[in-house]
Amino acid sequence: MIIDTNKREGDPSSCLTTDNRHRNQEDLSDIIEDMREQLVKLAQEKGISNGKVVAVSQLLDEYIVQFQLRMSRKSSK
């Protein structure tokens, strides 16, 4: 997955080039790892308070929450 940092600043949903809402748990884990690596690079280039960095960080948080919810549902079955 590639994060497009040239999209509208402040709109986290515009930072991704693909729709990842319906991914399975393994895919979600891979997405999270890819985004984390890209976030680190972006933060190094632009600084941690840059609007694009913050937007990507917030989007990554959403994916982490989705992953945690799926893990919790899986363990409760």
Side-chain angles (χ1 to χ4, degrees), residues 39-66:
L39 178 60
V40 168
K41 289 177 188 173
L42 186 62
Q44 289 172 341
E45 292 171 8
K46 298 187 177 287
I48 61 171
S49 61
N50 178 276
K52 292 177 184 178
V53 174
V54 172
V56 172
S57 176
Q58 290 172 340
L59 186 58
L60 177 57
D61 289 345
E62 291 177 28
Y63 280 106
I64 291 169
V65 169
Q66 284 181 21

Side-chain angles (χ1 to χ4, degrees), residues 18-34:
T18 59
D19 180 13
N20 296 302
R21 287 178 287 203
H22 303 290
R23 301 286 183 150
N24 69 34
Q25 191 170 328
E26 275 186 38
D27 288 343
L28 200 50
S29 179
D30 291 341
I31 290 167
I32 289 168
E33 183 59 26
D34 290 346

Side-chain angles (χ1 to χ4, degrees), residues 3-17 35 42 50-60 62-63:
I3 298 174
D4 185 352
T5 59
N6 293 318
K7 298 284 185 176
R8 260 192 348 248
E9 192 166 334
D11 181 5
S13 64
S14 69
C15 293
L16 298 177
T17 58
M35 285 184 70
L42 186 62
N50 178 276
K52 292 177 184 178
V53 174
V54 172
V56 172
S57 176
Q58 290 172 340
L59 186 58
L60 177 57
E62 291 177 28
Y63 280 106

